[in-house]
């Protein structure tokens, strides 16, 4: 750490006053010289008796996390290890997107004193915000000069997705619990597992009779089945060009994250295994093999640094990556936008390959501005915009209908309604026994 000498604004003010005094009282080179020597001597004395900034130690925590829209404490601990008093100012250098409230702090530390400077940050974007440089300026008692040193104190604030749709999770969990208690069937189907035995009732399918259990009991006994738990769900986040489109509160990728987090929380409470794959032309993030309460935490940390790429997504590579991570039949939830995304020639063959082995759910983020433009007929310019919007909607509907014909369910909604729509579709799959 290198110490720098600094001169304050007060020294400049004293120099200005001194120059006026010389001009009025002793307008000569001798007067200028004397005043300059006096000022330099005062500044040098002030610098020499200022506190020793090299003995000041600054520490803080290495890592902090916060959701977008919330604040997190980022305190600094400052200790004066010298035998003299230290007065001055401390500047905490952060990226502007970190949203640190106060970067400048006055300090006044007695010998051996330690203090904590409380501060808060409210990041405006997802991802990691780095803080490293902390500048300490120590000023002498005259306020004319001092020393300055730059400390390196590394720390990171990780801004996680806001997950505003979390408030919808309890109601969906209650619906799920109701379904699990009600969905007891006497006929085994795909996506079901054995639940219990009960006595035969008129109208039951005779194929459900368990003859071995009947032989041990006095009455005819049938097996009952319930929706299978521990199914596998793969969440795919498309981070390519299609995800970069702007919506009201952010990008399509942000909306996909909200929907994926809500579905992940719901599926984990249903006993399903949930994996995450973020892909454009390569794997950007993944979460594998995490279940239970830890899942939400891991999903949010994996999503935090993701940003849309301006390259077209490699659909074939995405499908290959998905198939490597799904060894058994699974529910594959592909979050993207068919409204302004891939050419159908690239998307449809990839989805058809995936649908051959898995149950595929295509989640498309709609653009509310396109919907609004399609309804405007105010003038000639609005008519042209409406025609372009109608064409985009028609193209989206055509791709959606083609996907449905190959057995792929499409969930398309505007950003504020998409997470709930996806959760409701998952509950419907549970209700009919598909999941």
């Amino acid at each position: 750490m290198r110490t720098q000498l600094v001169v304050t604004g007060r020294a400049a003010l004293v120099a200005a006053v001194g120059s006026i005094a010389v001009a009025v009282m002793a307008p000569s080179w001798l007067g200028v010289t004397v005043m300059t020597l006096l000022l330099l001597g005062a500044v040098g004395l002030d610098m020499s008796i200022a506190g020793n900034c090299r003995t000041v130690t600054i520490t803080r925590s290495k890592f902090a996390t916060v959701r977008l829209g919330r604040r997190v404490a980022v305190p600094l601990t400052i200790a004066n290890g010298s035998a003299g008093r230290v007065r001055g100012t401390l500047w905490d250098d952060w990226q502007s997107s970190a949203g640190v409230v106060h970067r400048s702090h006055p300090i006044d530390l007695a010998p051996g004193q330690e203090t904590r400077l409380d501060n808060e940050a409210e990041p405006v974007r997802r991802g990691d915000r780095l803080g490293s440089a902390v500048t300490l300026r120590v000023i002498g008692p005259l306020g004319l000069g001092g020393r300055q040193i730059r400390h390196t104190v590394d720390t990171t604030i990780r801004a996680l997705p806001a997950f505003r749709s979390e408030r919808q999770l309890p109601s969906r969990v209650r619906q799920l619990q109701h379904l699990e208690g009600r969905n007891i069937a006497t006929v085994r189907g795909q996506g079901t597992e054995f639940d219990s035995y009960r006595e035969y009732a008129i109208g039951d399918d005779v194929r459900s009779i368990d003859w071995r259990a009947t032989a041990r009991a006095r009455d005819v006994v049938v097996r009952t089945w319930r929706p299978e738990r521990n199914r596998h769900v793969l969440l795919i986040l498309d981070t390519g060009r299609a995800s970069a489109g702007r919506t009201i509160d952010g990008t399509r990728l942000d909306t996909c994250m909200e929907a994926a987090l809500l579905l992940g929380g719901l599926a984990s409470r249903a006993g399903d295994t949930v994996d995450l794959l973020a892909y454009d032309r390569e794997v950007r993030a993944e979460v594998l093999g995490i279940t239970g309460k830890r899942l939400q935490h891991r999903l949010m940390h994996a999503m935090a640094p993701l940003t849309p790429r301006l390259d077209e997504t490699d659909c074939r590579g995405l499908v290959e990556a998905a198939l490597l991570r799904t060894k058994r039949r699974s529910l594959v939830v592909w979050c993207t936008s068919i409204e302004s995304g891939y050419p159908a020639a690239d998307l449809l063959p990839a989805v058809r390959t995936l649908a051959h082995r898995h149950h595929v759910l295509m989640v498309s983020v709609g653009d509310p501005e396109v919907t609004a433009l399609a309804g405007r007929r105010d003038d000639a310019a609005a008519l042209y915009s409406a025609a372009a919007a109608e064409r985009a909607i028609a193209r989206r509907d055509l791709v959606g209908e083609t996907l449905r014909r190959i057995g792929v369910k499409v969930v398309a909604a505007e950003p504020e309604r998409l997470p709930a729509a996806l959760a409701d579709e998952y509950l419907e799959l549970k209700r009919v026994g598909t999941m």
Side-chain angles (χ1 to χ4, degrees):
M1 294 182 293
R2 184 178 178 183
T3 305
Q4 298 175 332
L5 300 179
V6 294
V7 178
T8 66
R10 182 180 294 184
L13 179 61
V14 171
V17 172
S19 63
I20 295 174
V22 169
V24 174
M25 301 174 59
S28 64
W29 285 110
L30 178 61
V32 173
T33 303
V34 171
M35 182 57 67
T36 302
L37 291 176
L38 287 175
L39 180 59
L40 291 176
V43 172
L45 177 64
D46 213 22
M47 289 179 176
S48 64
I49 61 179
N52 187 359
C53 56
R54 296 185 66 88
T55 61
V56 176
T57 58
I58 302 174
T59 58
R60 59 183 167 191
S61 60
K62 296 292 185 182
F63 191 77
T65 60
V66 63
R67 291 190 192 179
L68 282 182
R70 300 182 183 179
R71 290 189 176 186
V72 63
V74 283
L76 282 168
T77 301
I78 306 165
N80 179 15
S82 67
R85 198 170 194 88
V86 174
R87 297 186 182 91
T89 305
L90 181 142
W91 287 275
D92 195 1
D93 192 11
W94 282 94
Q95 299 163 278
S96 59
S97 59
V100 175
V101 180
H102 301 293
R103 302 189 184 189
S104 176
H105 304 270
I107 61 169
D108 187 356
L109 299 176
Q113 182 182 355
E114 180 178 295
T115 188
R116 171 174 163 155
L117 300 178
D118 292 320
N119 207 350
E120 292 183 331
E122 186 178 353
V124 298
R125 293 201 307 270
R126 282 182 296 99
D128 292 344
R129 300 294 173 264
L130 306 179
S132 59
V134 178
T135 303
L136 176 63
R137 178 176 292 181
V138 177
I139 304 300
L142 299 178
L144 300 176
R147 296 186 181 91
Q148 179 174 294
I149 194 169
R150 193 176 178 89
H151 292 263
T152 300
V153 190
D154 294 330
T155 189
T156 301
I157 297 177
R158 175 162 292 175
L160 304 175
F163 193 21
R164 300 182 185 91
S165 57
E166 186 179 21
R167 62 182 179 272
Q168 303 177 27
L169 186 57
S171 63
R172 264 63 183 189
V173 171
R174 287 193 294 270
Q175 294 180 42
L176 178 66
Q177 292 169 345
H178 177 69
L179 286 175
E180 289 183 339
R182 184 172 61 85
N183 281 6
I184 304 297
T186 57
V187 179
R188 183 177 185 179
Q190 184 180 4
T192 59
E193 63 182 0
F194 173 73
D195 179 62
S196 62
Y197 293 106
R198 67 168 175 80
E199 294 182 3
Y200 176 83
I202 297 176
D204 288 339
D205 194 322
V206 295
R207 292 174 297 176
S208 64
I209 298 175
D210 190 309
W211 296 107
R212 291 185 180 181
T214 299
R216 295 192 299 267
R218 296 181 179 179
D219 297 314
V220 179
V221 176
V222 297
R223 290 185 176 185
T224 60
W225 308 86
R226 66 179 179 184
E228 183 180 352
R229 297 176 67 86
N230 196 27
R231 300 295 296 270
H232 183 233
V233 179
L234 176 63
L235 301 173
I236 299 178
L237 292 180
D238 174 10
T239 56
R241 182 179 62 83
S243 67
R246 300 296 301 179
T247 61
I248 297 174
D249 295 328
T251 63
R252 289 190 175 99
L253 180 59
D254 295 322
T255 303
C256 288
M257 288 181 183
E258 285 283 322
L261 286 170
L262 181 60
L263 178 59
L266 184 59
S268 65
R269 284 162 175 78
D272 294 335
T273 301
V274 181
D275 293 339
L276 172 72
L277 173 66
Y279 193 96
D280 42 72
R281 304 196 75 81
E282 61 181 87
V283 176
R284 299 297 178 183
E286 62 180 336
V287 174
L288 303 175
I290 306 298
T291 58
K293 296 180 179 180
R294 296 185 303 152
L295 175 66
Q296 211 76 2
H297 178 76
R298 290 293 299 274
L299 288 178
M300 295 183 79
H301 277 267
M303 293 177 182
L306 293 177
T307 55
R309 305 292 175 126
L310 298 183
D311 296 326
E312 196 74 62
T313 299
D314 179 9
C315 295
R316 181 177 179 180
L318 187 151
V319 170
E320 291 176 354
L323 292 177
L324 286 175
R325 291 159 177 79
T326 49
K327 302 301 182 183
R328 54 178 173 144
R329 186 168 180 82
S330 309
L331 173 64
V332 178
V333 181
W334 187 339
C335 299
T336 181
S337 174
I338 61 175
E339 186 168 295
S340 60
Y342 326 91
D346 296 334
L347 178 65
L348 296 177
V351 176
R352 188 177 286 107
T353 300
L354 200 57
H356 182 69
R357 294 181 54 181
H358 303 288
H359 187 93
V360 179
L361 196 59
M362 207 74 180
V363 181
S364 178
V365 184
D367 190 342
E369 291 188 3
V370 172
T371 304
L373 286 174
R376 293 176 184 171
R377 302 289 193 276
D378 301 333
D379 50 33
L383 285 174
Y384 281 109
S385 298
E390 291 284 2
R391 182 181 179 185
I393 293 173
R395 186 166 57 246
R396 176 199 65 191
D397 293 343
L398 177 61
V399 175
E401 181 60 29
T402 305
L403 289 171
R404 293 184 184 95
R405 289 179 180 177
I406 62 176
V408 176
K409 180 70 176 180
V410 178
V411 178
E414 294 184 357
E416 64 274 9
R417 296 189 295 107
L418 185 64
L422 178 57
D424 291 340
E425 180 62 28
Y426 174 80
L427 291 173
E428 179 63 17
L429 294 177
K430 283 290 186 184
R431 188 187 68 80
V432 299
T434 305
M435 274 299 296

